[in-house]
Amino acid sequence: MVEKTAVERVRALALGIVDFMGMELVQVEVKREPGGAIVRLFIDKLGGVTLDDCSRVSRQLSAQLDVDDPFEHRYTLEVSSPGLDRPLYGPRDYERFAGRMVRVTAYEPIDGQRRFVGRLLGLVEGTVRLLLSGEREVSIPLEGVAKARLEMDIAFPKASAGVRGRHA
């Protein structure tokens, strides 16, 4: 296990860099691997993160880590977007992504169910509210959420019956 102070130092350094660049630091993970550690940063911004954004953050953070040197061992730095199915980490994410489709797993069953997929209505008084199929609403206390992710919410156009499999 990587010591907590190293993770906190990486988070503090990364936060300053990412904020300065007008982006959001979504998550920092540090995992011990056989050849050293893997330091993963997930960043985001309105309109999405580009490869150039990841490269700029990586270069800046790498230089800062070389100076600060929070690790006693070798490490590999990875900077990326949290992805289209990004995890939701805290109250800010539940407010920001209201209206989007999400997959939520609760620690304890609610009405006999632990896994839910539905439209995120938001966070109300510490409770995550979802609209499930059939227009049923469910409320899950934020501290009762084991994990939550955005779901792909793609509507495919319906094919016209007259063009399927036909050539002019």
Side-chain angles (χ1 to χ4, degrees), residues 4 13 27 34 48 61 89-90 93 110 125 136 149 161 164:
K4 193 173 186 175
L13 290 170
Q27 181 72 355
L61 183 57
Y89 290 105
D93 284 347
I110 296 171
E125 297 177 2
R136 185 177 130 224
R149 305 187 80 80
R164 245 185 296 162

Side-chain angles (χ1 to χ4, degrees), residues 93-126:
D93 284 347
Y94 291 97
E95 293 164 0
R96 176 179 175 190
F97 294 109
R100 298 277 306 270
M101 291 297 291
V102 295
R103 176 177 301 275
V104 178
T105 302
Y107 286 115
E108 299 292 326
I110 296 171
D111 296 331
Q113 188 176 342
R114 287 187 54 232
R115 291 177 182 80
F116 303 90
V117 176
R119 185 130 344 250
L120 178 61
L121 298 175
L123 187 67
V124 178
E125 297 177 2

